[in-house]
Amino acid sequence: MRIPGFLKSPTRPVWKVLGLSLLAGGAIGLGQVPVSLWPVAILALGLFIRFTSALRPAHISWCSFMAGMGHTFVSMYWITEPFFVEPEIYGWMAPFALLLMGAGFGAFWAAGAGLGARLGRGPVTRALGIALGLVLTDAIRSYAFTGFPWVLFGHIWIGTPVAQLASVTGQLGLSCLTLLLAVTLAFTGKRALVAGVVLWAGGAGVWLWGQTRLAAPVAYPAKPVEIRIVQPNAEQKLKWLPQYRDMFFKRLLDQSSAPVKTPLDLIIWPETSVPFLLNWAGDGLNVIAQSGQGVPIALGIQRSEGDRYYNSLAVLDKNAQVTALYDKVHLVPFGEYIPFGDALGKIGIGAFAAQQGNGYSAGKAETVLDLGTAGKVQPLICYEAVFPQDIRRAPSRPDWIMQVTNDAWFGQLSGPRQHLSLSQMRAIEFGLPLARAANTGISGIIDPYGRLVARIGMNTQGHLDLPVPQALPETLYARTGDWPVIAAMLISLLVLSLFALNTVDRPRVEV
């Protein structure tokens, strides 16, 4: 395979190649929710691997960096939305945030693809190395620097039967499948054709197996937990303004006290529902409890301990007593806390999403709350639903998962829908139903197959009364976590490096 003549630099390809890589990354990003063009994503991945496998390793790293940026610009553009909640203060940061996010993702892609390519001795083994390296970046990004497993390669399958594989392998297994299918498109020849047929037949088998699972009707226990999810539709830029706070609070109260057909076991309000602290509520807790008319209410609320502030979930009984409390453990970097926050707070630098103090403090540990007739519930606050490893750290298996969130920070298009899709992924991985209360949407109930049973749409005020579906038996992924897939990746990279030491590729493709 010959290197294109216009690649003159031994370390950096010319701008045309970098531009094509940026476009390729954008096409790969079209596979993510809400566009969900997974065939386009796999084709773009295959073509990108085919082209870059013919290049020098240094060129591969540069091209992968640009592809990672393009993927981010298409799939994560909504990261600028929080900066426009108060544009007069933070708006100038928005383009820099997107560029930094793109550069960060690009660096992961460059490191993974570059490392994998260096294990190969020719375009064939380099292509396999690039694919394995890119999958490995998904794993590293899921854990490094507090983790950010958002828009992984495997997430292109959310909403398809293939997503059911996550109950066995987790989302990283889906990423492996994605890259394996893509790499079959990188080569021609009899061996490549045979390998492609085998892998695509396997993918088709996974699709059919997933369809079989999804053919099962939504199941409910003999005595299901009856819940009400409340969505106030409080626009973030107005939420804390004095002239709107009472209106939004009244919406929550009115929706909670609306008539019911079936007696309720629990009412759920979104994250940071109310404009006061738990320990400085005045008569607020009594008013909330009264709106429940004897039904416990779980609500997102802030609280303080000395000079520490927490993003919390509290459960109030009919007497306005706090019967259960959870402090958010996995905080959003720079949004809810900043590194060295205590020191930086002294000079006025704080996390802009925190309404009190310079940022939140993290809770002590994941937990499962025993809510009596509402069952044993694992609480998740917003961003925590992104991390399957955090759910696995809970001390016991819950009956269902309760997520309270405020997706108003994420705009109205991709951000909230991607966040919802990750909640669906958690339901599949753990075989657990999940109830989701969002401030502006999308709220709903998800069954253990990841199906959205009922929903309240974006920018809608209302409530939803439904029973919680029956949980499935504990899944294989819930028992093993990500480590079997990560081990398989590392072993594959080791085998590839040993194979490459003793093999010289005979390329079949001209670029």
Side-chain angles (χ1 to χ4, degrees), residues 188-195 508:
T188 58
K190 292 183 179 179
R191 291 182 180 178
L193 180 61
V194 171
R508 299 176 181 272

Side-chain angles (χ1 to χ4, degrees), residues 288-300:
I288 294 172
Q290 289 170 11
S291 73
Q293 302 176 89
V295 179
I297 296 181
L299 69 151

Side-chain angles (χ1 to χ4, degrees), residues 5 21 35-37 61 74 93 177 179 185 234 267 283 304 315 318 343 375 384 396 409 412 448 471 475 488 493 500:
S21 297
V35 183
S36 300
L37 294 177
S61 292
V74 169
M93 298 182 184
L177 176 63
L179 269 297
L185 304 178
I267 298 171
D283 198 41
S304 66
V315 181
K318 63 181 181 181
E384 292 183 312
S396 60
W409 286 106
Q412 300 181 21
T475 63
L493 285 168

Side-chain angles (χ1 to χ4, degrees), residues 155-498:
H155 290 163
I156 68 172
W157 300 108
I158 296 175
T160 75
V162 175
Q164 298 300 309
L165 182 63
S167 64
V168 179
T169 66
Q171 58 192 359
L172 293 181
L174 293 174
S175 291
C176 289
L177 176 63
T178 304
L179 269 297
L180 285 173
L181 293 177
V183 81
T184 65
L185 304 178
F187 300 102
T188 58
K190 292 183 179 179
R191 291 182 180 178
L193 180 61
V194 171
V197 168
V198 170
L199 285 170
W200 280 93
V206 172
W207 186 289
L208 293 174
W209 170 74
Q211 278 190 322
T212 301
R213 281 172 59 90
L214 292 173
V218 179
Y220 296 94
K223 189 177 180 182
V225 174
E226 300 284 348
I227 64 173
R228 168 172 289 179
I229 297 172
V230 175
Q231 182 170 299
N233 191 31
E235 187 179 352
Q236 189 58 44
K237 66 176 62 176
L238 305 177
K239 184 178 179 181
W240 303 119
L241 296 180
Q243 62 268 39
Y244 289 99
R245 287 183 305 193
D246 289 345
M247 180 185 74
F248 293 140
F249 186 45
K250 188 174 185 301
R251 287 183 184 180
L252 290 160
L253 298 174
D254 290 345
Q255 294 295 333
S256 298
S257 60
V260 299
K261 293 182 180 179
T262 303
L264 298 173
D265 296 299
L266 185 68
I267 298 171
I268 307 173
W269 289 11
E271 178 187 19
T272 57
S273 301
V274 297
F276 49 78
L277 297 177
L278 179 63
N279 44 328
W280 293 94
D283 198 41
L285 299 185
N286 288 319
V287 173
I288 294 172
Q290 289 170 11
S291 73
Q293 302 176 89
V295 179
I297 296 181
L299 69 151
I301 190 169
Q302 300 168 95
R303 72 180 192 90
S304 66
E305 284 185 8
D307 58 355
R308 298 286 178 184
Y309 292 87
Y310 298 88
N311 186 359
S312 305
L313 181 141
V315 181
L316 304 181
D317 65 13
K318 63 181 181 181
N319 299 314
Q321 298 299 306
V322 176
T323 58
L325 182 66
Y326 169 71
D327 297 322
K328 187 175 182 181
V329 175
H330 205 138
L331 301 173
V332 181
F334 301 100
E336 294 180 309
Y337 81 100
I338 53 175
F340 311 108
D342 289 343
L344 292 175
K346 295 177 181 178
I347 58 174
I349 298 176
F352 66 82
Q355 293 300 309
Q356 301 288 340
N358 296 306
Y360 293 121
S361 296
K364 294 180 180 178
E366 293 78 7
T367 189
V368 172
L369 305 177
D370 189 344
L371 301 185
T373 58
K376 295 181 179 179
V377 179
Q378 182 163 1
L380 301 175
I381 300 178
C382 192
Y383 182 65
E384 292 183 312
V386 176
F387 301 95
Q389 61 266 36
D390 292 356
I391 297 175
R392 291 191 69 247
R393 279 197 287 267
S396 60
R397 190 171 194 247
D399 300 318
W400 54 285
I401 298 171
M402 174 171 55
Q403 181 195 11
V404 297
T405 185
N406 180 18
D407 290 359
W409 286 106
F410 303 155
Q412 300 181 21
L413 296 174
S414 295
R417 289 168 174 82
Q418 287 176 3
H419 199 194
L420 169 67
S421 74
L422 295 178
S423 298
Q424 293 175 277
M425 180 62 70
R426 300 293 84 78
I428 296 169
E429 287 173 332
F430 292 92
L432 291 170
L434 186 150
R436 189 174 197 269
N439 176 31
T440 55
I442 301 168
S443 300
I445 296 180
I446 301 167
D447 83 349
Y449 294 106
R451 296 176 293 198
L452 190 58
V453 176
R455 60 185 284 170
I456 307 173
M458 288 292 301
N459 305 316
T460 303
Q461 177 191 166
H463 66 269
L464 187 66
D465 293 352
L466 268 185
V468 176
Q470 174 72 55
L472 296 174
E474 189 175 29
T475 63
L476 179 61
Y477 176 77
R479 295 194 294 271
T480 63
D482 290 322
W483 300 112
V485 174
I486 293 174
M489 291 182 207
L490 296 175
I491 291 170
S492 297
L493 285 168
L494 177 61
V495 170
L496 178 65
S497 63
L498 294 175

